[in-house]
Amino acid sequence: MPAVSQHLALRHDWSREEVLALFALPFPELLHRAASVHRQHFDPAEVQVSTLLSVKTGGCPEDCGYCPQAARYHTGVDATKLMSTEAVVEKAKQAKAAGASRFCMGAAWRSPKDRDIPKVAAMIQEVKALGLETCATLGMLSGDQAKALKSAGLDYYNHNLDTAPEFYGEIIHTREFQDRLDTLAHVRDVGMKTCCGGIVGMGESREQRAGLLQTLANLPAHPDSVPINRLVQVEGTPLAGTAELDPFEFVRTIAIARLLMPQSMVRLSAGRETMSDELQALCFAAGANSIFYGEKLLTTGNPDVARDQALFARLGLRPMPASIGDGEVEPADACSTTVHAAITVEAA
Ligand code: SAM
Ligand code: DTB
Ligand code: SF4
């Protein structure tokens, strides 16, 4: 088995054995390595804050086994039409006022229809005009659709690999793993940033968790953001009732994402609502530096803003300022200053 080097440069050639060797490290050693790498690239007190909005909910033709929005599962999620641009902008303003720097618009589509693209483009333009980074997750994209979204000013496209290639077929049957890689290539080819991660706690093995992280790190470019979701179990989906993942194994997964993709934002993503503050703190110590912020993810719950502000205060964390355009950094606006001030007062 190859030795695990203490100093890990940007690499795209991880073997499964190497990733498994990281999983096998003593927990304190793994955390120490991940925390050290985190500090080489980021201020560990800063956490990037994104807010999600489901702009088109439910009624999805796909069969993703974890998803409450698949039409075929009876989860109580009602299908809606695409929201109006005005309603989306209103939600984006609220997210900004609460301290978010990125606004991610999600649609329960297999892929957008060409006629949807101008409507989504209008949302992107108006949300960006508020000074927010924009992200969208709309399913599979063609090259032309990616180009149109880029022209509208979309900063990030979220499209997850979800799990290891060898476990994928047990979770999703209506599209291939390769389809996901193709969409990510279209997104990269037009110069958009990628947000790409997966879900753990779906009954996969450690080897398969390693396979997800290995595949993410071996993409032609590391995703700019790497959301690590812990399965939110929703009654009516095939994965409801799956055995819970050991919380320390979840922290290991975060730490190894940090080690393999040292310059990426690693997002402690879905699943936070049922995590203790202590577990979340361990994740931040292991190199997570991004969260979804606001009471709702797409259809399921997220910690409320007051709980997150209190957590930031207890841990001495602060929201990361928005990065607009090519590396240009917008100073923390009045809103994130408000969040920070609230945090500082509580911490005092
Ligand atoms: N329909 C589009 C697609 O699948 O690409 C975009 C929206 S979809 C809901 C975005 C991602 O949310 C999925 O790829 C999956 O990783 C995550 N997700 C969905 N349901 C989840 C759940 N119950 N728990 C954790 N993550 C979930
Ligand atoms: C991601 O990786 N997680 C988010 C976002 N990207 C789109 C979605 C989580 C969804 C959780 C289930 C729900 O709220 O419907
Ligand atoms: Fe549809 Fe996306 Fe849910 Fe899959 S994850 S069922 S594609 S909304």
Side-chain angles (χ1 to χ4, degrees):
M1 186 183 298
V4 180
S5 143
Q6 176 71 41
H7 188 81
L8 300 159
L10 271 197
R11 288 179 46 190
H12 299 270
D13 60 352
W14 288 92
S15 70
R16 189 71 62 98
E17 290 69 30
E18 283 178 295
V19 183
L20 280 168
L22 291 171
F23 268 100
L25 284 173
F27 188 79
E29 175 62 22
L30 176 59
L31 251 61
H32 171 72
R33 291 191 192 189
S36 305
V37 165
H38 190 187
R39 276 149 189 74
Q40 287 171 19
H41 301 285
F42 295 99
D43 177 344
E46 284 194 345
V47 176
Q48 191 276 328
V49 166
S50 297
T51 290
L52 265 175
L53 176 68
S54 180
V55 299
K56 195 269 165 234
T57 305
C60 183
E62 299 290 275
D63 77 343
C64 312
Y66 47 76
C67 186
Q69 301 201 71
R72 66 191 72 202
Y73 309 136
H74 301 288
T75 61
V77 171
D78 293 326
T80 66
K81 291 205 171 111
L82 186 62
M83 285 172 72
S84 69
T85 302
E86 295 69 37
V88 171
V89 169
E90 199 42 49
K91 292 283 189 187
K93 283 182 184 162
Q94 290 167 11
K96 184 171 165 137
S101 61
R102 190 181 305 171
F103 192 69
C104 180
M105 294 158 272
W109 287 325
R110 170 180 166 82
S111 55
K113 302 211 165 46
D114 282 342
R115 65 166 187 267
D116 297 319
I117 296 291
K119 299 178 199 164
V120 177
M123 294 174 189
I124 292 164
Q125 280 160 357
E126 295 211 20
V127 170
K128 203 176 168 74
L130 300 175
L132 286 160
E133 295 175 335
T134 54
C135 176
T137 181
L138 315 170
M140 293 184 285
L141 290 187
S142 67
D144 285 345
Q145 290 175 333
K147 206 186 286 175
L149 294 173
K150 168 76 179 163
S151 306
L154 188 62
D155 298 307
Y156 291 82
Y157 195 75
N158 166 246
H159 199 65
N160 291 337
L161 295 182
D162 277 349
T163 192
E166 69 272 20
F167 191 59
Y168 183 89
E170 295 188 34
I171 305 294
I172 299 157
H173 313 93
T174 48
R175 69 175 119 153
E176 304 292 318
F177 198 78
Q178 185 59 45
D179 294 326
R180 292 178 184 261
L181 298 176
D182 292 347
T183 290
L184 289 166
H186 295 319
V187 171
R188 281 194 308 270
D189 287 350
V190 299
M192 259 188 306
K193 293 181 181 145
T194 55
C195 170
C196 181
I199 311 176
V200 295
M202 297 196 295
E204 74 285 343
S205 63
R206 173 179 274 188
E207 163 128 25
Q208 290 160 343
R209 278 186 289 283
L212 167 65
L213 296 177
Q214 177 197 13
T215 313
L216 288 168
N218 290 347
L219 286 168
H222 290 174
D224 299 276
S225 286
V226 181
I228 304 294
N229 297 278
R230 187 169 80 167
L231 176 69
V232 178
Q233 299 201 10
V234 179
E235 214 50 58
T237 60
L239 290 181
T242 305
E244 293 274 335
L245 185 67
D246 175 2
F248 295 127
E249 186 71 4
F250 183 76
V251 180
R252 286 178 187 277
T253 307
I254 295 272
I256 296 167
R258 168 54 63 222
L259 284 170
L260 266 50
M261 295 166 278
Q263 296 183 356
S264 304
M265 302 284 179
V266 173
R267 184 171 308 131
L268 175 54
S269 191
R272 284 198 307 118
E273 196 182 28
T274 54
M275 288 180 199
S276 66
D277 285 3
E278 293 84 347
L279 175 56
Q280 293 186 62
L282 270 178
C283 292
F284 292 126
N289 63 347
S290 172
I291 56 165
F292 283 124
Y293 177 69
E295 273 87 36
K296 214 166 170 200
L297 293 166
L298 292 172
T299 65
T300 64
N302 199 41
D304 60 37
V305 162
R307 180 179 165 202
D308 275 341
Q309 290 186 351
L311 179 63
F312 273 38
R314 290 177 79 195
L315 300 180
L317 300 176
R318 54 180 189 273
M320 193 179 288
S323 171
I324 307 282
D326 297 323
E328 188 192 328
V329 173
E330 195 190 56
D333 59 24
C335 307
S336 50
T337 311
T338 309
V339 174
H340 196 185
I343 287 167
T344 313
V345 170
E346 280 194 47

